[in-house]
Amino acid sequence: MEFNALQTKFYQKELEVNALMEITQAVNSNLPEEDLYKIFEFTLRANLQMEKLCLFVKEEDWECKVQFGTSKDFNQVRMGDACLSTRKIAYIDQMNLDVTCFEEFEIIIPVLHKDRLLAFVFVKSIGDEINVDTTFIQALSNIMLVAIENKRLARKELEQQAIQRDMEIAKNVQNYLFPKELPNNDKIHIEAFYQPCRTVGGDYYDYITLDHEDQFVVCIADVSGKGIPAAILMSNFQAVLRTISRTAENPVQVVKELNYQLCMNANRENFITFFLAVYDYKKKNLRYINAGHNPPLLMNGKPEVEKLTVGTTVLGAFEPLPFIEMGTVEDLEEFSLFLFTDGLTETFNKDEEEFGSERLEVFLEENYGMPLQELHKKLLEELHDFSAERNFSDDLTFLSCRVNNASV
């Protein structure tokens, strides 16, 4: 009898070693998680003569990954507090369970890795006697679950790397949207600042010369949404704008075509606020359309702000546009134009008060005539002081255009 018992024990250990080797080989073969769970189930059913088994694994929540022989579907069962507080192997009938369905098992086996709870294994052996090698089950479960977790971490890292590469590509693509150089001469000086709240954003500004430099276009836009989708939509918008602005007869034609293309490409799921202005050096006038954008601020030779509000509604929401009107400002020789997106005026302080357009207007009037680089630097300092160094919650873009056309 002693020899038979010893032989049986040896045979059982041999089965367990083989099972550990199978799981290890499966892990090294980089099998999918589903296959590892199937091998785990088969190993315990074939080698340990389990009548019932249930494996709960901690992911976002506790999920049942393996079950067999049970009277209930444990995919629909939530773990109770009594189970979740268990850190040592315990007999079910000695626990005060708040979820009675686990009473069909004999033993609960917590699986930990570096004191962190990974899973619970509930088991019941065949026959009346409790004959479960809990240490083996714990070891087998630990090997499998640590391997699965490592696979997930590796997969997440690869996904993050891929996302980061995509973001870098999108950032580079977006950088091509903006003019490579902005003019800075005796006749015109333009300075611009752009800071996305993420790696890429949905703000855009541009400067385009027309008709042998007798005219130029200056514009700014803000697409609804943030991140890569907003940047992609804005890149399409920019391509259309640069194509049609050189051939269109007037700003109305440009805006109508932009709206049509946007409605077709974005299926009216996104919209863009947009401001477009065309200055004519010979006629000394500014024609513009404001499509639902923050009104740019014009100062015509003196520190008094005029808001440019004439235009239409946002682009991409209606086709055709329900109304459109072109604004015109005559007799412009020496003037400054300040364009911005709502990330500037909607900068908040610790009391959730926004910077607002009134503060911006006062700032521009008080600093009228200041060199544009200094003006932008001082404005950024004002915004940081106002927000108490809080991160901006939206893309931040602004552009200053100063023209001296008095001698032309």
Side-chain angles (χ1 to χ4, degrees), residues 344-356 359 379-390 392:
L344 193 160
T345 51
E346 293 179 6
T347 296
F348 290 89
N349 62 15
K350 62 181 180 180
D351 298 321
E352 297 302 320
E353 179 186 9
E354 67 176 21
F355 189 77
R359 281 189 179 88
L379 178 57
L380 284 171
E381 290 173 352
E382 290 264 339
L383 290 172
H384 283 293
D385 290 343
F386 178 80
S387 64
E389 302 296 331
R390 293 173 65 186
F392 295 109

Side-chain angles (χ1 to χ4, degrees), residues 16 20 77 90 100 121 145 165 209 322 329-330 358 376 382:
E16 291 176 2
L20 287 172
V77 174
T100 58
V121 185
L145 291 169
R165 285 195 299 271
T209 57
V329 183
E330 302 288 352
E358 291 185 7
H376 283 201
E382 290 264 339

Side-chain angles (χ1 to χ4, degrees), residues 88-155:
K88 295 182 179 179
I89 298 171
Y91 290 102
I92 297 291
D93 60 6
Q94 296 177 6
M95 297 176 62
N96 183 21
L97 292 179
D98 47 355
V99 182
T100 58
C101 56
F102 290 110
E103 291 178 348
E104 63 178 284
F105 300 102
E106 294 171 335
I107 298 175
I108 178 173
I109 306 170
V111 182
L112 296 93
H113 179 65
K114 296 181 179 179
D115 297 326
R116 188 164 60 86
L117 194 57
L118 300 180
F120 288 102
V121 185
F122 298 86
V123 297
K124 184 180 187 304
S125 57
I126 295 175
D128 296 330
E129 294 185 9
I130 299 178
N131 184 23
V132 178
D133 190 341
T134 55
T135 303
F136 168 73
I137 293 175
Q138 209 168 34
L140 187 71
S141 303
N142 190 282
I143 291 172
M144 181 190 68
L145 291 169
V146 169
I148 288 175
E149 184 172 19
N150 288 338
K151 284 165 64 71
R152 286 179 186 154
L153 291 174
R155 187 166 61 243

Side-chain angles (χ1 to χ4, degrees), residues 8 23 58 109 126 144 177 222 242 248 252 299 390 396 400:
T8 300
I23 280 288
K58 181 69 169 71
I109 306 170
I126 295 175
M144 181 190 68
L177 296 181
D222 184 359
R242 288 200 169 185
V252 173
M299 288 181 285
R390 293 173 65 186
L396 177 62
S400 294

Side-chain angles (χ1 to χ4, degrees), residues 21-258:
M21 291 179 63
E22 287 178 12
I23 280 288
T24 303
Q25 185 177 4
V27 168
N28 292 337
S29 299
N30 202 27
L31 293 179
E33 295 176 20
E34 294 78 7
D35 292 350
L36 291 178
Y37 285 128
K38 289 178 182 177
I39 293 173
F40 175 81
E41 176 184 349
F42 174 79
T43 299
L44 293 185
R45 294 183 75 168
N47 297 339
L48 293 189
Q49 301 297 304
M50 293 288 99
E51 179 183 339
K52 296 183 179 183
L53 181 138
C54 184
L55 171 67
F56 272 84
V57 178
K58 181 69 169 71
E59 294 190 348
E60 294 296 327
D61 199 357
W62 287 96
E63 296 183 14
C64 179
K65 296 295 186 179
V66 177
Q67 60 178 321
F68 63 82
T70 58
S71 60
K72 297 181 181 298
D73 179 5
F74 281 86
N75 288 304
Q76 310 300 323
V77 174
R78 296 182 63 84
M79 297 284 289
D81 292 336
C83 293
L84 293 175
S85 62
T86 303
R87 292 298 181 272
K88 295 182 179 179
I89 298 171
Y91 290 102
I92 297 291
D93 60 6
Q94 296 177 6
M95 297 176 62
N96 183 21
L97 292 179
D98 47 355
V99 182
T100 58
C101 56
F102 290 110
E103 291 178 348
E104 63 178 284
F105 300 102
E106 294 171 335
I107 298 175
I108 178 173
I109 306 170
V111 182
L112 296 93
H113 179 65
K114 296 181 179 179
D115 297 326
R116 188 164 60 86
L117 194 57
L118 300 180
F120 288 102
V121 185
F122 298 86
V123 297
K124 184 180 187 304
S125 57
I126 295 175
D128 296 330
E129 294 185 9
I130 299 178
N131 184 23
V132 178
D133 190 341
T134 55
T135 303
F136 168 73
I137 293 175
Q138 209 168 34
L140 187 71
S141 303
N142 190 282
I143 291 172
M144 181 190 68
L145 291 169
V146 169
I148 288 175
E149 184 172 19
N150 288 338
K151 284 165 64 71
R152 286 179 186 154
L153 291 174
R155 187 166 61 243
K156 281 186 177 180
E157 184 175 352
L158 289 174
E159 289 171 353
Q160 288 297 322
Q161 290 175 357
I163 291 172
Q164 188 61 37
R165 285 195 299 271
D166 290 345
M167 294 291 281
E168 288 299 323
I169 292 171
K171 182 179 180 180
N172 291 334
V173 170
Q174 187 175 44
N175 286 337
Y176 291 125
L177 296 181
F178 301 109
K180 293 181 180 180
E181 294 182 357
L182 292 172
N184 184 5
N185 52 56
D186 293 338
K187 188 161 60 173
I188 179 173
H189 182 195
I190 294 180
E191 287 286 334
F193 175 85
Y194 170 66
Q195 177 180 295
C197 70
R198 300 179 184 175
T199 304
V200 293
D203 285 2
Y204 162 66
Y205 65 84
D206 212 341
Y207 164 80
I208 306 168
T209 57
L210 304 174
D211 295 339
H212 305 291
E213 300 186 358
D214 287 338
Q215 299 179 8
F216 70 83
V217 172
V218 64
C219 64
I220 194 166
D222 184 359
V223 63
S224 60
K226 299 180 180 68
I228 291 179
I232 292 173
L233 182 59
M234 193 57 78
S235 66
N236 292 334
F237 184 83
Q238 181 251 24
V240 175
L241 171 64
R242 288 200 169 185
T243 299
I244 63 177
S245 61
R246 299 183 186 278
T247 57
E249 295 180 359
N250 56 63
V252 173
Q253 185 179 347
V254 172
V255 170
K256 285 184 176 180
E257 183 62 24
L258 284 171

